Amino acid sequence: MDKNVLIATALHEHARIYLLNSRQVVEEARKYHDLWPTSCAALGRTLSVTALMGLMQKDENETVTVTINGNGPIGTILCVAQNNGEVKGFCGDKHIYQKYADTHKLAVGPAVGKEGYLKVSKNLKMKQSYTSQVALKSGEIGDDFAYYFAESEQVPTIVSVGVLVDTDDSVKSAGALIIELLPNHVESDVTYLENLDLRPISSVFAEDPDLKRYLYSLFPDALVLEEREVFYHCGCSKERFLRNLLTLPKKDLEEISADEKIEIKCEFCEKIYRFDEKDIKAVLKYASDKR
Ligand SMILES: [Zn+2]
């Protein structure tokens, strides 16, 4: 398996660094959802940071869910990551392609909008253990996450995230860098970070995708603590959707059963599951046996 994440410490152990080359993860998302470039960049940025937040959790069963809605045309972006490296997500409008007139860069901010929120929920074994929300700053995603870390988790953090889409709409490069200042940091660490020359990470990886070379170019004293892998994984199944049906009130189930056939599309991988009368009767029977 390809290790696409470095977790490191630097600045005399005053900083923690998470660095991800997310090209494959974002390309998988693009293929599942048929994402157009601006939708791809917005969802890809959110997936990349969420994936790293998944790795930050201490418990391996902890799940991080990030929801962004800025009242822009893309609608809601929702991403879920786990400590084992799994990440998945979707966005409302998958077919947005708009650029800034001056720079010709993908116009993520206007697509996401900034009249809204970024919400983070952490769940441990189906139980919500934490939820926190901040107002969006720009809708460009990176700034919004940096603001979230500073406000909600009280950790001064730099977030650099980007997706470069190729002329054939495939993902040319993508990555995320999160630099956290630890509580023992001193003023000179802040100055060091202020003077860091952070080029767009997708341009850096388009030229040279090597994680360690980029890490050491920013922090010559960096020490790699862990190499990890994050990957797009949905994990849905017919059984899982049937189990979800069981959580519906019996009245709803009977109504569904009257329709005889239902289709449920998985939002994370777009797979369509079909349930016939037999499936629904089995669910109804199971539900009434249990109640
Ligand atoms: Zn799925």
Side-chain angles (χ1 to χ4, degrees):
M1 290 224 219
D2 271 356
K3 304 286 187 196
N4 52 8
V5 178
L6 291 182
I7 301 174
T9 178
L11 303 177
H12 308 284
E13 301 188 12
H14 294 167
R16 179 65 52 90
I17 296 134
Y18 298 84
L19 180 60
L20 159 69
N21 184 333
S22 53
R23 195 199 72 80
Q24 260 187 319
V25 172
V26 182
E27 175 65 4
E28 286 277 300
R30 182 190 73 86
K31 287 197 260 181
Y32 277 127
H33 297 301
D34 181 32
L35 297 169
W36 290 12
T38 309
S39 298
C40 184
L43 178 58
R45 288 180 193 182
T46 312
L47 276 171
S48 303
V49 178
T50 306
L52 288 180
M53 290 176 76
L55 299 187
M56 288 174 188
Q57 305 318 308
K58 285 178 187 70
D59 193 300
E60 64 172 26
N61 295 309
E62 194 153 7
T63 301
V64 177
T65 304
V66 171
T67 314
I68 293 177
N69 188 315
N71 273 306
I74 201 166
T76 298
I77 302 172
L78 190 143
C79 295
V80 184
Q82 264 176 273
N83 179 275
N84 66 3
E86 292 178 13
V87 64
K88 60 185 178 181
F90 61 85
C91 61
D93 189 341
K94 290 152 179 114
H95 291 167
I96 296 178
Y97 185 21
Q98 54 186 64
K99 291 177 168 186
Y100 289 110
D102 48 353
T103 60
H104 302 290
K105 290 198 157 120
L106 295 171
V108 171
V112 172
K114 53 182 177 181
E115 306 302 322
Y117 61 88
L118 182 161
K119 188 171 95 179
V120 175
S121 310
K122 297 178 186 173
N123 297 279
L124 191 55
K125 296 193 174 112
M126 309 299 281
K127 269 192 179 153
Q128 198 160 78
S129 53
Y130 169 97
T131 179
S132 178
Q133 173 174 326
V134 293
L136 289 175
K137 279 280 158 194
S138 66
E140 294 282 344
I141 312 290
D143 300 345
D144 302 303
F145 273 108
Y147 182 64
Y148 163 79
F149 285 116
E151 285 294 307
S152 282
E153 306 208 346
Q154 303 285 310
V155 181
T157 306
I158 290 178
V159 178
S160 170
V161 60
V163 174
L164 197 62
V165 178
D166 216 335
T167 45
D168 65 355
D169 286 2
S170 68
V171 177
K172 189 171 184 186
S173 66
L177 167 68
I178 298 178
I179 307 167
E180 292 179 346
L181 277 177
L182 302 178
N184 62 353
H185 75 270
V186 292
E187 198 51 40
S188 61
D189 301 321
V190 177
T191 315
Y192 187 91
L193 294 185
E194 280 169 359
N195 292 324
L196 263 188
D197 176 25
L198 283 180
R199 296 167 51 218
I201 192 164
S202 51
S203 313
V204 172
F205 286 154
E207 283 166 28
D208 178 4
D210 191 275
L211 289 171
K212 283 185 183 158
R213 264 197 295 277
Y214 186 46
L215 173 70
Y216 294 129
S217 76
L218 298 173
F219 299 98
D221 80 326
L223 178 71
V224 175
L225 304 172
E226 253 187 295
E227 294 183 52
R228 297 283 305 269
E229 192 203 7
V230 301
F231 49 95
Y232 198 98
H233 178 77
C234 180
C236 64
S237 64
K238 191 167 179 178
E239 289 69 34
R240 192 174 279 199
F241 280 104
L242 280 172
R243 251 183 280 144
N244 286 348
L245 284 179
L246 273 176
T247 62
L248 294 174
K250 199 173 173 203
K251 186 171 71 71
D252 294 2
L253 275 176
E254 280 163 353
E255 268 168 36
I256 293 172
S257 155
D259 290 341
E260 289 181 359
K261 266 199 184 113
I262 49 168
E263 281 188 358
I264 301 180
K265 187 166 81 172
C266 174
E267 286 184 291
F268 293 102
C269 71
E270 311 245 345
K271 190 169 172 183
I272 293 169
Y273 291 93
R274 293 184 175 82
F275 300 93
D276 58 16
E277 208 185 341
K278 203 174 83 212
D279 294 321
I280 299 158
K281 280 208 171 122
V283 170
L284 264 174
K285 182 171 183 316
Y286 185 81
S288 59
D289 286 352
K290 270 192 83 177
R291 287 170 206 184

